Amino acid sequence: MRYLLVLALCVVITAPLEFLGGRVYRKPVRTIKTVLPVAAVFLVWDAVAITSGVWALDPRRVSGVEALGLPIEEVLFFFVIPLCALLTFGSVEALLTASRRTGRPRARKERAP
């Protein structure tokens, strides 16, 4: 259950970034086209690694619910974390673009001694 809690916290913490310019939830088709291919590759990779014994998940840390032959937490990981990353990158990009438009000075690079 801890795994689900961590994933939920990731969503809750990054959700406000949508309002800072993340534009992930407002553009669901683009988001799905971005996340789904990557998630598919890593889900297959993960399934192969687990079934071949390369690694295992501690049953005390997962709910016991499975999807696609993997613990639901592992499946959700490959969707939640990319969503959080997209929100973060989109927000940073929007804030940098806005600061350039308003003429605010960017952080200066420090020169090496």
Side-chain angles (χ1 to χ4, degrees), residues 51-64:
T51 56
S52 64
V54 172
W55 77 13
L57 294 165
D58 186 348
R60 296 174 297 162
R61 305 283 187 240
V62 294
S63 65

Side-chain angles (χ1 to χ4, degrees), residues 14-27 31 87 91:
T14 59
L17 296 177
E18 179 72 11
F19 303 107
L20 293 175
R23 298 185 189 272
V24 170
Y25 299 120
R26 286 181 261 176
K27 297 188 176 188
T31 301
L87 279 166
S91 298

Side-chain angles (χ1 to χ4, degrees), residues 94-106:
L95 291 171
L96 289 176
T97 302
S99 71
R100 288 185 193 118
R101 276 192 224 132
T102 60
R104 290 185 190 159
R106 292 191 292 174

Side-chain angles (χ1 to χ4, degrees), residues 42-43 73 78 80 82-83 88 101 104:
F42 282 104
L43 284 167
E73 294 88 347
F78 292 113
V80 168
L83 279 174
T88 303
R101 276 192 224 132
R104 290 185 190 159

